[in-house]
Amino acid sequence: MRAVFLDFGSVTRGDIDCTKLEQAISPWHYYEDTATEQAIERVKDAEVVVINKALLDRAALSSANRLKLVCIAATGYNNIDLTAASDYNIPVCNVRDYATPSVVEHVFMLILNLSRRFIEYQHLVKNGDWQKSTYFCPLDFGIEELSGKTLGIIGYGMLGKAVAEIAQAFGMQLLIAEHKGQPARPGRTAFDEVISQSDFITLHCPLSDATRNLISQREFELMKPSAYLINTARGGLVNEADLLASLSSGRIAGAATDVLQNEPPVAGNLLLEYPQPNLIITPHIAWASRESRQRLLDQIADNIHNFFQNKPFNQIKDALTSRHRHDQ
């Protein structure tokens, strides 16, 4: 058998153990990255193809006459033509819930950096202002505790629930958002009410036609002036121009995002030019702890092994059902 990983460089820099992966199938051919026009040649003789963010379109799938399985090294699967895969009877599987600890820790790293004014105080020390202070404790920037604050969670799948658990340990009050425009179910709060009442809002829902620009000018106008927005989900959930306007005008207190609409932002992004420390941008690394990436590869290995042993694996059977499962 022959297996190829089209963008192996997106999941490791040599710090991940591939033993389990290579026990599931061999030999492997690992490509650091694959452009769309390169995919046809690289998959044509493969029996198993693994992709993270590389694109696998109908042309590539139609050329892969020996292909038995496509594994996505992620939960999202918008980078593969599922209709074409179905037409050619090629099963597709993904990995699920592998990055929960990593993402949750990143969420609270961002929240704490904002609430404790970490960036400002680090600059104060590095600029020598503490050394010049009359007082042992400069109080230049107001610090807020998380205890007693309200955290609004939009998207209550595995990640949202894990964030809720840690928030409760900090003594935060929780509001779990209902789907936008829908009446609130028991245990949920109407979407607009979550937006307007929360001190911190964190996004954990998938990107779809229904959620694109979920947070735009209307939502920013509903937020408290003291509110912070956290996005470790997908860049397209937040209208970036409206976020920039809300930060620049002081409409909200701050924001932190691990994701942008276009990644990497090779053509630039206005948010990257925003100079104030109340916006934190990290380069889509919330998921990327070493332990998380190891779980990712191990789950891919399990999917491959189970497929060839005719056992259940994480097959994507119904796109709509799968999307909904991660935002319950």
Side-chain angles (χ1 to χ4, degrees):
M1 294 182 181
R2 181 172 182 265
V4 298
F5 200 133
L6 291 185
D7 48 352
F8 193 54
S10 67
V11 299
T12 182
R13 290 295 186 273
D15 56 348
I16 301 298
D17 183 0
C18 295
T19 301
K20 190 172 181 179
L21 195 64
E22 294 180 353
Q23 288 173 342
I25 187 175
S26 63
W28 279 88
H29 196 121
Y30 300 104
Y31 295 99
E32 286 295 298
D33 195 21
T34 297
T36 304
E37 60 272 16
Q38 296 174 309
I40 292 177
E41 179 64 26
R42 292 180 176 181
V43 306
K44 67 178 184 179
D45 295 321
E47 295 181 80
V48 173
V49 172
V50 181
I51 57 173
N52 183 2
K53 296 296 182 285
L55 298 178
L56 209 55
D57 58 16
R58 179 175 289 273
L61 291 168
S62 67
S63 71
N65 296 324
R66 301 177 61 195
L67 187 56
K68 294 181 173 66
L69 178 68
V70 173
C71 297
I72 301 176
T75 302
Y77 43 80
N78 58 305
N79 52 325
I80 180 171
D81 188 331
L82 289 177
T83 301
S86 178
D87 290 344
Y88 296 119
N89 198 29
I90 303 169
V92 179
C93 62
N94 64 355
V95 288
R96 303 166 189 173
D97 305 329
Y98 64 95
T100 299
S102 184
V103 173
V104 170
E105 290 175 15
H106 200 87
V107 168
F108 282 96
M109 182 271 290
L110 295 174
I111 289 175
L112 288 166
N113 268 273
L114 289 169
S115 64
R116 305 297 298 191
R117 308 293 288 273
F118 177 80
I119 293 174
E120 291 100 319
Y121 277 113
Q122 273 288 285
H123 286 168
L124 184 146
V125 173
K126 289 183 177 296
N127 292 339
D129 293 331
W130 186 24
Q131 298 87 317
K132 300 171 186 176
S133 176
T134 303
Y135 306 102
F136 79 98
C137 172
L139 300 175
D140 297 49
F141 312 107
I143 295 171
E144 298 181 16
E145 295 179 354
L146 299 189
S147 180
K149 297 295 190 300
T150 298
L151 176 67
I153 300 176
I154 300 177
Y156 201 54
M158 180 70 74
L159 279 170
K161 290 173 182 174
V163 166
E165 183 177 353
I166 301 302
Q168 289 177 314
F170 275 109
M172 302 185 80
Q173 305 300 312
L174 297 177
L175 291 177
I176 310 304
E178 184 53 87
H179 292 284
K180 190 174 184 178
Q182 299 296 317
R185 292 168 283 174
R188 304 297 176 94
T189 302
F191 182 88
D192 283 0
E193 192 173 341
V194 171
I195 294 294
S196 62
Q197 293 188 10
S198 297
D199 299 300
F200 295 87
I201 299 166
T202 182
L203 306 181
H204 300 287
C205 46
L207 179 62
S208 66
D209 290 342
T211 60
R212 191 173 301 278
N213 290 322
L214 185 73
I215 307 296
S216 298
Q217 180 180 350
R218 172 186 173 277
E219 286 69 39
F220 286 119
E221 291 177 350
L222 290 174
M223 291 181 192
K224 296 179 179 180
S226 57
Y228 294 93
L229 176 67
I230 312 295
N231 185 11
T232 56
R234 289 291 182 266
L237 296 173
V238 178
N239 184 295
E240 293 177 348
D242 292 345
L243 171 59
L244 181 61
S246 297
L247 290 168
S248 300
S249 67
R251 183 64 199 81
I252 62 172
T257 184
D258 186 53
V259 288
L260 294 175
Q261 186 169 339
N262 296 306
E263 300 173 346
V266 292
N269 184 298
L270 290 176
L271 291 177
L272 297 176
E273 300 175 10
Y274 180 76
Q276 301 304 318
N278 64 333
L279 172 64
I280 299 173
I281 300 175
T282 53
H284 205 138
I285 55 168
W287 70 282
S289 70
R290 181 183 57 79
E291 296 86 350
S292 172
R293 290 180 287 115
Q294 188 66 63
R295 287 190 294 268
L296 171 77
L297 286 193
D298 289 349
Q299 194 175 138
I300 293 170
D302 288 339
N303 281 335
I304 295 170
H305 172 80
N306 290 342
F307 171 76
F308 285 109
Q309 294 296 317
N310 294 314
K311 295 178 180 179
F313 61 103
N314 291 341
Q315 185 172 4
I316 300 168
K317 295 182 179 180
D318 183 279
L320 292 176
T321 299
S322 185
R323 284 193 183 99
H324 181 71
R325 181 180 58 251
H326 297 287
D327 183 26
Q328 295 178 342

